[in-house]
Amino acid sequence: MPLVNFSNIDFDQIKVSIRDYLKANSNFTDYDFEGSNLSTIIDTLAYNTYISSYNANMVTNEVFIDSATLRENVVSLARNIGYVPRSRKAATATISFEVNVSEKNISTITLQPGIVATSSLLFGNQSYVFSVLEETKATVSPGGIAFFQNVPIYEGTFVKQSFTVSPRTPNQRFILTNTGIDTSLLKVIVKRDESSTVSRVFRQFDSLYQIDSKTPLYFLQEIENERYELLFGDGIFGMKLSEGALSYIETTYVVTSGELGNNISEFSFAGQLLDQNGAAITTGISVISTESASYGGSSIESVESVKKYSTQIYSAKNRAVTASDYEAIVPQIYPETESVSAYGGECLEPPAYGRVFISVKPHNGTHLSSSIKRSIANDLRRYSVAGIIPEIIDLKYLWIETDSNTYYNTNLSSGPDNVKSTVLSNVLTYSNSSQLNKFGGRFKYSKFQKVIDDSSEAVTSNITTVTMRRDLEAALGQFAEYEICFGNRFYIRNPGKPPVMDNMIIGYNIRSSGFKISGLSNTLYLGDVPNPDLKTGSLLFFKLNSPTEVVVVKKSVGTVDYIKGEVKLNATKFIQTTVNRGAPLIEISATPYSNDVIGLQDLYLQLDMNNVVVSMVDDRISSGNDNSGSNYLVKSSYVDNLIRGNPIYSS
Amino acid sequence: MPVQRVSQSFKDISATFQINPLNRDLIALNNSYAIARSIRNLIMTVPGDRPFNPVLGSQVTNLLFENLDKLTALTIKSEIVNTIENFEPRVRLNEVNVKSQPDQNQFDVKIQYYIVGIDVPLQELTFALEPTR
C-alpha cells in the first residue's frame, strides 16, 4: 500500500499512513503499541515527514505573491514586476524663528543641516526630533536680527552615510544600513574621492525611459528588514561608477518615526547656527513659532498594500488608460493617499466625455488642498492618454448614522453603562475598519448588528435604524441651485398610502436641519411629497409650530429622485443655517431603501460616530422579570422623526 | 477496508539495531521480550518526549533525582502502575515492587504481570533505576 498523500501536514494522519503501510508490508506487529520500539521509530519518521511537509508548504506559500506572508518575500516578488514599495514618510512641519546678534559683527547666519528642533514632550515621555536637510542662510538685518521664515523641518534623525566604490570588492552592494528611511528625502551625490569639492547629484529612476549611458542615476530597492539598497548604472543604462573617477558616494537621508510624528506643534530649538566665519552662535535665539504643525507622516507600505498595488501597477504599465489604472498610479505619485476612486466622465449624467474624475482621501485630513490637487493632476498627465483630462475632485462624504436600541440581560451585566461603553467601543473599531473607509465601501447592516450583538454576553438583540446623511454647504446670501447625490435609493414611508397633512400628501422621507431663507424669518426645514409613481417627488419648505403642527411654507422648491437617491433644489437664497462646522451646513438625511449602504463612485462612506446612538433596553424576558412578555418594551424598527436636530418652533 | 491483524504474536524491532548473525537481518524481539521492552520504554519515557503526544510516559526519570527513600519509591511505584495501566493494554499487572537502595544509589524494580489473551505463565521484569544525566 503506497503512501499517497505527500503534502499532508497533520502529524496523526502521517502516522496512520505509516502504520497502514507497515500493516500491509511488514512482519513486525507492534506498531499499535505506544511503548514499542517500532512505535518510537514510527513517531520519528512521522515527525520528520511532518517537518518536511510543513517546510514544503511554507516555502511554496512564499513563492507566490498571493500567499506569501514574509515582507521580504512579498517585496522580492513585487520587485520582479518592477514595484518599489513606498517607504516611511517623515512628517513635515514649518517653523519660523529669529536670531538676535545685534551686539556682534555678524552679517550672515547659516542653519546647518541636521537636527534643528525637538518636540516638547507632548506625547507622554516620547520626544521626536526634527531635522533640516540643507543649509539655510539668513541675512542679518540692520537691527541685528536674522529671520528664519517658514523653514520646512522633517521628523526624524538626519543621517549621512558614505560608500567607497572598490573594484576589488566583487559584487559590492550599497546598502543603507538604517531602517525607517524616508526615501523621498534621500539625496545621493558622487565625488571623485572624499576630499573632492566637485560632486554630481544622482537622481532616482524607476524605469529605463529617457536613460542613456551618461545619465547620473540610481535605482532603489527594498531588501530584508525594511532597508534599502542603491543600484547604480552599468555604463549602458546610467553612468557607471569607477575607482578614480566616481568612487565616493555620499548619501543623506532621514530616519523617521513615520505617522507617530504627526500633529506636533510645539518645538524647542536644538539646531546648529554658524556665522559667516564658521563660529557657532548659541545665544539670542528666539522661541520657535510653528507656522504649520507636523503632518504627512506615514508608515511603510504594508504587505497587503504591496500585494494589491504591485499587480495593479504592473497591469497599468505606467499608462493610465482604464479607471483602475488611475487608482493604481495615484498612490504612487501621492504617497499620502489612503483611498482613491476614479471613474470616467461617461458614467455621469449628463456625461462628461474626455474627462476622468478622481477623488483622493488623504491619510491625514479629509480634503486635499488646491495645490496638491493641481500637482497630482499635472503628474497624471505623464501617464494619461492624450486627449483625456484627469480632474481631481473634492471628496464627498456619505455619512451613516445609526440608532440602536440594544436589549440586554440585566443578570449578565454589571450595569447598562458598562455594556453601552463596550458596544460603542466595538462600533468605533468597526467604523475605523477598511470595510467602510474606502471608495466603493459598503455598510453591511448584518455585520454591524453582529458587532453589537457580540459585544457582550449580556446583549441579547438589537433594533438598529440606519440613516444616511450628506451635508450641503449653503452659499449664504446668494441664489444658488443645489444638487446632492446619495447614490442609494431612498425608502418611501407608507408607499401608496401617504399620510395627509394640511390637505397635502406629504412624505417627509427627506429630513433636514434648520435654515432660514431670504424673505422669511422662520426657521424652515426640508420635506418632500412623492409623486403618484413613487419614483420621484417634489421638495417643499415647512416650519414647525409645535411638535405636531407642520405648516408648509413653500411648495415645489425642488425635486427628489427616490430611485437614484438625488435631491435637487431650485435656486434658493439661504441666509442662515442652524448647523455651522467651519462653514454653513444644511444636513440632509434619508432612510435608505436597503439597510446595506454603498459608497457609489466618488462618495466616501463613513460611519459618523457623533451620530451613532446606542440606547440600552432591559430585555425583561431574558432577564426573567417578565417571562410571559406582557410588559416587553417594544422599540420601532423605523425612523419616524420629521427633522434633524433640536426642533425650533415658529409659534 | 482496514487491514486486520492476523496473528496474536507480538514482534518488535530491537533498538540495538544489531544484525542477527544467522540470517543477516535486523534482530527482532518476539512476544514476551517485546512486551517487556515496551514496558521499560514506557516507564523511561518522560512526558513530552514523544512528538504530539505529551501525556505518554511517566515521571519516573524525574523522580530518580528526588530523595532516595521509601516515599520516593512509593511514588515511583504509583507512576509505574499508572503508566502500564494507561498505555500497555497487552498486560494485566499482578504486582509492582520498588525498593530504595541508598547504598547503591538506585531503586530496584520488580514488575509481575500476565500477558492478556495468551496462555503463558506470570511474567517478571526486574531492573534497577539509577539517576543518570
Side-chain angles (χ1 to χ4, degrees):
Chain A
M1 182 179 166
L3 288 167
V4 286
N5 193 350
F6 295 109
S7 58
N8 204 335
I9 51 172
D10 184 279
F11 177 82
D12 290 327
Q13 287 182 15
I14 295 169
K15 202 168 156 183
V16 168
S17 299
I18 297 173
R19 278 185 178 168
D20 287 346
Y21 179 81
L22 284 175
K23 276 180 189 172
N25 296 290
S26 170
N27 292 324
F28 295 103
T29 56
D30 278 11
Y31 41 74
D32 277 337
F33 303 107
E34 292 291 348
S36 66
N37 290 328
L38 200 58
S39 184
T40 308
I41 292 173
I42 291 172
D43 274 356
T44 309
L45 290 172
Y47 188 65
N48 191 39
T49 309
Y50 166 77
I51 295 291
S52 300
S53 298
Y54 175 80
N55 282 339
N57 187 50
M58 290 303 288
V59 166
T60 312
N61 278 346
E62 294 297 318
V63 166
F64 302 100
I65 197 166
D66 293 327
S67 52
T69 53
L70 298 177
R71 181 179 180 89
E72 61 185 88
N73 292 331
V74 175
V75 169
S76 174
L77 291 165
R79 189 188 305 141
N80 292 339
I81 49 177
Y83 186 79
V84 181
R86 294 191 301 276
S87 71
R88 263 191 218 183
K89 186 103 177 117
T92 311
T94 313
I95 58 167
S96 297
F97 61 96
E98 56 194 53
V99 185
N100 189 340
V101 287
S102 54
E103 295 174 0
K104 301 167 188 168
N105 185 22
I106 295 174
S107 58
T108 312
I109 298 178
T110 308
L111 177 63
Q112 294 296 301
I115 294 174
V116 68
T118 57
S119 63
S120 301
L121 294 176
L122 282 176
F123 299 89
N125 291 323
Q126 185 67 51
S127 178
Y128 296 94
V129 299
F130 285 72
S131 304
V132 286
L133 307 179
E134 293 175 336
E135 283 186 352
T136 309
K137 285 187 190 306
T139 309
V140 179
S141 68
I145 296 175
F147 296 95
F148 287 87
Q149 300 281 4
N150 297 321
V151 180
I153 58 174
Y154 303 92
E155 187 277 315
T157 309
F158 182 74
V159 176
K160 275 186 182 178
Q161 187 178 351
S162 56
F163 307 91
T164 303
V165 179
S166 169
R168 286 173 291 285
T169 307
N171 304 320
Q172 187 177 14
R173 299 178 74 184
F174 306 105
I175 295 171
L176 304 178
T177 48
N178 290 285
T179 59
I181 295 172
D182 180 349
T183 57
S184 66
L185 302 177
L186 173 65
K187 189 176 175 187
V188 177
I189 60 172
V190 182
K191 301 194 284 192
R192 176 185 289 272
D193 52 46
E194 189 175 358
S195 58
S196 175
T197 54
V198 180
S199 61
R200 291 199 70 160
V201 176
F202 276 50
R203 288 188 300 128
Q204 185 187 341
F205 275 66
D206 56 9
S207 74
L208 295 180
Y209 291 117
Q210 299 176 326
I211 289 178
D212 60 27
S213 61
K214 299 290 184 192
T215 310
L217 62 81
Y218 67 89
F219 299 100
L220 202 63
Q221 68 178 26
E222 186 183 326
I223 57 172
E224 64 273 8
N225 301 327
E226 300 180 13
R227 296 180 303 157
Y228 293 91
E229 180 180 8
L230 303 176
L231 303 171
F232 291 91
D234 55 4
I236 299 169
F237 291 111
M239 188 179 287
K240 186 178 183 180
L241 305 185
S242 58
E243 192 179 33
L246 289 167
S247 63
Y248 188 75
I249 306 164
E250 197 172 277
T251 62
T252 55
Y253 53 85
V254 169
V255 177
T256 175
S257 307
E259 61 191 353
L260 297 177
N262 287 333
N263 301 318
I264 296 175
S265 56
E266 292 184 29
F267 301 98
S268 305
F269 186 80
Q272 188 183 14
L273 296 168
L274 300 178
D275 64 16
Q276 69 275 15
N277 299 318
I281 299 170
T282 54
T283 57
I285 304 165
S286 73
V287 172
I288 288 180
S289 68
T290 307
E291 306 298 337
S292 65
S294 61
Y295 72 99
S298 61
S299 52
I300 196 166
E301 185 172 5
S302 65
V303 170
E304 288 71 27
S305 176
V306 174
K307 285 182 179 180
K308 179 184 174 189
Y309 282 112
S310 60
T311 48
Q312 282 193 359
I313 285 287
Y314 181 68
S315 62
K317 290 189 167 52
N318 282 333
R319 289 285 179 273
V321 180
T322 66
S324 60
D325 292 348
Y326 284 92
E327 291 177 356
I329 289 171
V330 167
Q332 288 294 301
I333 59 181
Y334 183 59
E336 284 175 49
T337 304
E338 181 181 321
S339 187
V340 59
S341 167
Y343 55 92
E346 73 280 0
C347 301
L348 296 178
E349 286 191 21
Y353 296 109
R355 287 178 184 272
V356 175
F357 295 94
I358 302 150
S359 291
V360 180
K361 163 76 173 66
H363 276 294
N364 301 293
T366 54
H367 294 90
L368 297 179
S369 67
S370 301
S371 60
I372 291 176
K373 281 196 279 190
R374 270 198 306 277
S375 166
I376 295 174
N378 285 338
D379 286 345
L380 279 174
R381 286 291 180 90
R382 287 193 287 136
Y383 303 94
S384 63
V385 176
I388 301 294
I389 301 169
E391 195 169 309
I392 312 293
I393 55 176
D394 268 333
L395 201 62
K396 297 172 184 168
Y397 284 97
L398 179 65
W399 300 98
I400 303 291
E401 301 174 351
T402 60
D403 188 349
S404 300
N405 285 297
T406 307
Y407 287 87
Y408 73 107
N409 184 339
T410 52
N411 300 324
L412 296 176
S413 76
S414 53
D417 290 343
N418 288 342
V419 181
K420 183 177 176 178
S421 167
T422 313
V423 170
L424 281 172
S425 166
N426 288 344
V427 169
L428 178 64
T429 307
Y430 176 76
S431 77
N432 291 329
S433 72
S434 57
Q435 291 185 25
L436 288 177
N437 297 297
K438 63 180 180 184
F439 292 102
R442 183 155 73 98
F443 173 80
K444 295 168 184 163
Y445 184 64
S446 61
K447 292 271 192 297
F448 183 80
Q449 285 196 306
K450 190 169 185 302
V451 166
I452 296 176
D453 283 348
D454 292 349
S455 293
S456 163
E457 61 176 352
V459 175
T460 55
S461 67
N462 71 88
I463 302 284
T464 298
T465 58
V466 180
T467 305
M468 50 187 182
R469 185 194 95 219
R470 290 209 56 199
D471 295 339
L472 184 152
E473 188 174 337
L476 295 184
Q478 51 187 294
F479 279 100
E481 292 184 355
Y482 300 91
E483 179 178 346
I484 293 275
C485 299
F486 285 71
N488 288 270
R489 186 174 169 179
F490 293 156
Y491 172 72
I492 302 177
R493 291 197 283 197
N494 301 321
K497 291 182 180 176
V500 177
M501 282 188 185
D502 201 20
N503 295 324
M504 284 194 63
I505 302 169
I506 296 174
Y508 293 118
N509 301 296
I510 309 291
R511 294 172 290 280
S512 80
S513 58
F515 53 85
K516 289 181 180 176
I517 61 172
S518 174
L520 287 170
S521 59
N522 297 317
T523 299
L524 304 180
Y525 300 94
L526 200 59
D528 61 299
V529 185
N531 293 331
D533 63 358
L534 296 176
K535 291 179 180 174
T536 55
S538 64
L539 296 174
L540 54 86
F541 292 148
F542 67 88
K543 65 178 182 179
L544 285 173
N545 282 351
S546 70
T548 54
E549 190 181 354
V550 175
V551 179
V552 175
V553 175
K554 204 172 180 185
K555 299 173 194 170
S556 300
V557 297
T559 58
V560 54
D561 188 325
Y562 297 107
I563 306 297
K564 291 180 181 171
E566 280 182 5
V567 176
K568 288 181 184 173
L569 269 176
N570 299 337
T572 308
K573 187 177 179 181
F574 293 105
I575 56 170
Q576 191 184 343
T577 61
T578 55
V579 178
N580 194 317
R581 289 192 291 270
L585 298 177
I586 300 172
E587 296 177 340
I588 300 176
S589 60
T591 304
Y593 182 76
S594 161
N595 277 335
D596 277 14
V597 181
I598 61 164
L600 188 72
Q601 293 175 344
D602 59 339
L603 287 177
Y604 193 84
L605 202 62
Q606 279 214 316
L607 190 62
D608 185 4
M609 285 307 293
N610 293 324
N611 284 299
V612 169
V613 179
V614 174
S615 309
M616 303 308 296
V617 184
D618 179 6
D619 186 344
R620 295 180 177 178
I621 297 176
S622 297
S623 302
N625 301 328
D626 180 21
N627 287 333
S628 66
S630 308
N631 297 310
Y632 184 73
L633 297 170
V634 178
K635 296 293 176 183
S636 172
S637 297
Y638 302 94
V639 180
D640 58 358
N641 50 342
L642 294 173
I643 61 158
R644 293 186 54 83
N646 295 323
I648 299 173
Y649 300 114
S650 302
S651 71
Chain B
M1 183 178 169
V3 179
Q4 299 295 320
R5 179 186 294 279
V6 293
S7 167
Q8 271 291 323
S9 69
F10 302 107
K11 193 174 184 183
D12 192 10
I13 201 166
S14 167
T16 61
F17 289 104
Q18 288 178 336
I19 297 170
N20 186 332
L22 297 178
N23 57 13
R24 309 296 296 169
D25 202 352
L26 210 58
I27 291 178
L29 300 174
N30 290 305
N31 298 329
S32 57
Y33 296 103
I35 292 173
R37 169 49 61 181
S38 173
I39 290 171
R40 280 206 62 170
N41 282 348
L42 286 171
I43 291 169
M44 300 310 292
T45 300
V46 179
D49 273 0
R50 286 290 186 91
F52 298 95
N53 194 353
V55 294
L56 182 79
S58 77
Q59 295 290 347
V60 169
T61 308
N62 296 329
L63 289 168
L64 297 180
F65 295 94
E66 299 295 328
N67 292 336
L68 220 154
D69 54 18
K70 286 185 178 176
L71 186 64
T72 309
L74 273 174
T75 316
I76 289 175
K77 178 186 173 184
S78 169
E79 276 290 313
I80 290 173
V81 171
N82 284 337
T83 305
I84 293 175
E85 286 181 348
N86 285 335
F87 299 112
E88 187 47 87
R90 291 175 289 185
V91 302
R92 181 165 53 80
L93 274 179
N94 182 51
E95 190 178 358
V96 175
N97 275 319
V98 180
K99 196 172 175 186
S100 60
Q101 301 284 13
D103 294 340
Q104 284 80 39
N105 192 31
Q106 68 181 35
F107 295 94
D108 287 342
V109 180
K110 186 167 80 177
I111 306 170
Q112 290 181 328
Y113 56 88
Y114 294 100
I115 297 177
V116 176
I118 297 178
D119 188 18
V120 289
L122 182 69
Q123 302 286 309
E124 186 172 292
L125 175 63
T126 56
F127 54 91
L129 292 169
E130 285 183 26
T132 52
R133 287 287 183 193

